[in-house]
Amino acid sequence: MLIVMSILFAQFKGSVGYNLFKLLGTVVGQSSTIGNCSLRSKILLTAWFLFTLLISLSFSVTLLSRIIQPTKVAPIRTFHDLSRAVQSGGHKLHAMESHVPFFLESEEDHVKALGRMLIRENWVIEYKST
């Protein structure tokens, strides 16, 4: 669109390269001295300004939505995810004393790591029946 409009405005004033940079400047909000005072030039300039307004606002809205909305943290669904989250220090794992052998005797390395962290960090909960 930028190149096509540059060629169209070259019929009124300046070269294609000159108009290309002038039109690119209008996209980023600079004022423009493109074209002459003819009706056809004013119509092209109005169409171009509407196009740049649409592009600029679309970019602004997209950027703003990315800034405002925080990225969503992926939920913990598996023991592998849980192991990574606990080892990174972002989460804790509390388990009853009867569950510790399940962790320590597992064939999976990430589950064993959870068991070792349970013991090392003293996250084992004692079950008391009433």
Side-chain angles (χ1 to χ4, degrees):
M1 186 72 175
L2 185 64
I3 294 171
V4 170
M5 290 301 274
S6 297
I7 293 168
L8 290 175
F9 276 111
Q11 296 174 359
F12 301 112
K13 179 180 176 184
S15 66
V16 174
Y18 171 82
N19 288 322
L20 181 76
F21 285 112
K22 285 294 188 176
L23 289 174
L24 189 59
T26 61
V27 173
V28 294
Q30 294 181 351
S31 63
S32 175
T33 57
I34 299 174
N36 56 17
C37 293
S38 69
L39 180 62
R40 186 171 173 211
S41 176
K42 288 179 183 179
I43 291 172
L44 278 175
L45 197 55
T46 302
W48 178 253
F49 283 145
L50 290 174
F51 176 75
T52 58
L53 178 68
L54 179 71
I55 296 297
S56 298
L57 290 178
S58 298
F59 177 75
S60 298
V61 167
T62 305
L63 181 63
L64 189 60
S65 70
R66 287 288 195 176
I67 292 172
I68 290 175
Q69 184 177 8
T71 57
K72 294 184 173 128
V73 178
I76 298 172
R77 296 182 186 207
T78 63
F79 278 109
H80 195 271
D81 294 343
L82 179 62
S83 179
R84 268 189 277 142
V86 171
Q87 289 177 8
S88 71
H91 292 75
K92 290 182 180 180
L93 172 66
H94 296 280
M96 292 188 346
E97 198 172 336
S98 61
H99 295 145
V100 174
F102 164 77
F103 288 101
L104 293 175
E105 295 170 8
S106 174
E107 294 178 6
E108 304 289 331
D109 291 334
H110 57 275
V111 178
K112 282 183 184 177
L114 282 172
R116 289 190 295 269
M117 286 194 75
L118 274 170
I119 294 172
R120 184 177 64 230
E121 300 293 334
N122 197 20
W123 290 337
V124 179
I125 300 171
E126 294 180 23
Y127 177 71
K128 295 178 186 175
S129 63
T130 56

